[in-house]
């Protein structure tokens, strides 16, 4: 719990730094910096960007061995499907989804860790403490999705229940099931316009590794 408190304090201070740094910059300048940061990240990570048309030709898959990410040009989100999952494509309705994730801010120089809820925290006493996954309530209507967090670290850290719209894009292409061993897994590059509240306000992109699982 001590480490969790330190994380929240660090995120708060980081937000103040960004707010101070962004003073005096126009929105257009901040968006240009964001585009440059994403470009440099793609180059550093040797990411092979493919078009949505190629993605469809590959049966809506990305070749992980070739480090392929599909670009959704309308949103600016890049996605790699690491594991489609052992479940089924979601039908119209409401679902409780459990999420494990790592969130990192993409900067011009690299990445900075922001928040995460991987399975265990290492405590100051030399042992591990289990962390529960974040939970969201997801609604599907046709190809449209909306969702709110009902519990978890994303809700706590960023102070808002809304799920970043960039997190919802994969649901049209993955199969979400209940088995932990068959969880869907994706990697995302999410610009501020599709991101969490602080990213939207401060205009910065984030990199995510996320697993999705139906609640039991």
């Amino acid at each position: 719990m001590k480490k969790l408190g330190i994380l929240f304090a660090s995120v708060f201070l980081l937000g103040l730094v960004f707010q101070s740094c962004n003073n005096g910059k126009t929105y257009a300048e901040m968006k240009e910096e964001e585009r440059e940061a994403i470009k440099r990240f793609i180059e550093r990570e040797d990411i092979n960007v493919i078009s949505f048309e190629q993605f469809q030709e590959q049966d809506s898959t990305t070749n992980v061995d070739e480090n392929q990410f599909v670009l959704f040009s309308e949103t600016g989100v890049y996605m790699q499907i690491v594991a489609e999952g052992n479940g089924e494509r979601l039908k119209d309705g409401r679902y409780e989804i459990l999420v494990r994730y790592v969130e990192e801010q993409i900067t011009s120089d690299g990445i900075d860790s922001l928040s995460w809820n991987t399975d265990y925290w290492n405590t100051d006493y030399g042992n591990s403490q289990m962390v529960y996954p974040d939970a969201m309530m997801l609604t599907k209507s046709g190809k449209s999705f909306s969702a709110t967090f009902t519990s978890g670290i994303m809700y706590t850290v960023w102070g808002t229940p809304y799920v970043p719209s960039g997190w919802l894009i994969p649901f049209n292409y993955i199969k979400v099931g209940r088995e932990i061993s068959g969880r869907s897994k994706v990697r995302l590059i999410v610009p501020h316009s599709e991101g969490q509240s602080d990213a939207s306000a401060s205009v910065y992109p984030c990199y995510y590794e996320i697993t999705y699982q139906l609640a039991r």
Side-chain angles (χ1 to χ4, degrees), residues 6-20 158 198:
I6 293 173
L7 171 64
F8 295 161
S10 298
V11 169
F12 175 74
L13 292 174
L14 190 61
L16 292 180
V17 170
F18 283 127
Q19 184 177 13
S20 174
W158 302 120
D198 190 65

Side-chain angles (χ1 to χ4, degrees), residues 131-197:
V131 178
Y132 291 103
D134 285 29
M136 67 168 76
M137 188 58 66
L138 176 77
T139 301
K140 180 182 187 297
S141 178
K143 291 188 177 182
S144 299
F145 293 88
S146 61
T148 55
F149 290 113
T150 55
S151 65
I153 292 177
M154 279 291 287
Y155 189 172
T156 304
V157 169
W158 302 120
T160 175
Y162 92 90
V163 176
S165 54
W167 282 36
L168 305 181
I169 289 175
F171 284 107
N172 278 315
Y173 310 102
I174 59 177
K175 298 178 179 180
V176 186
R178 290 182 169 83
E179 295 182 4
I180 293 177
S181 60
R183 287 182 292 190
S184 308
K185 182 177 181 180
V186 301
R187 297 179 178 130
L188 300 172
I189 300 171
V190 179
H192 77 283
S193 55
E194 307 295 319
Q196 38 86 345
S197 57

Side-chain angles (χ1 to χ4, degrees), residues 116-137:
W116 63 92
N117 72 345
T118 47
D119 294 344
Y120 294 95
W121 295 91
N122 292 322
T123 71
D124 293 334
Y125 303 101
N127 55 6
S128 298
Q129 178 178 328
M130 186 177 71
V131 178
Y132 291 103
D134 285 29
M136 67 168 76
M137 188 58 66

Side-chain angles (χ1 to χ4, degrees), residues 12-107:
F12 175 74
L13 292 174
L14 190 61
L16 292 180
V17 170
F18 283 127
Q19 184 177 13
S20 174
C21 290
N22 286 337
N23 287 340
K25 293 181 182 178
T26 66
Y27 180 56
E29 289 172 334
M30 289 188 286
K31 286 202 300 182
E32 180 57 33
E33 288 181 355
E34 177 183 55
R35 284 191 290 267
E36 184 63 25
I38 291 174
K39 178 182 176 182
R40 291 186 182 182
F41 178 78
I42 289 172
E43 292 172 350
R44 282 196 306 270
E45 298 300 318
D46 197 24
I47 290 172
N48 177 16
V49 178
I50 64 173
S51 67
F52 183 69
E53 290 72 24
Q54 181 176 344
F55 177 64
Q56 289 181 308
E57 290 171 2
Q58 297 176 180
D59 197 23
S60 298
T61 63
T62 52
N63 189 318
V64 177
D65 292 336
E66 295 180 4
N67 204 20
Q68 289 182 345
F69 278 66
V70 56
L71 169 61
F72 297 92
S73 56
E74 291 184 0
T75 62
V77 172
Y78 298 76
M79 177 185 70
Q80 180 182 83
I81 300 176
V82 180
E84 185 182 39
N86 292 341
E88 298 180 353
R89 295 282 169 84
L90 298 180
K91 300 177 182 179
D92 286 5
R94 285 168 57 83
Y95 303 88
E96 185 179 11
I97 307 292
L98 304 180
V99 180
R100 296 282 186 186
Y101 77 93
V102 173
E103 176 186 51
E104 298 172 318
Q105 182 194 348
I106 298 172
T107 72

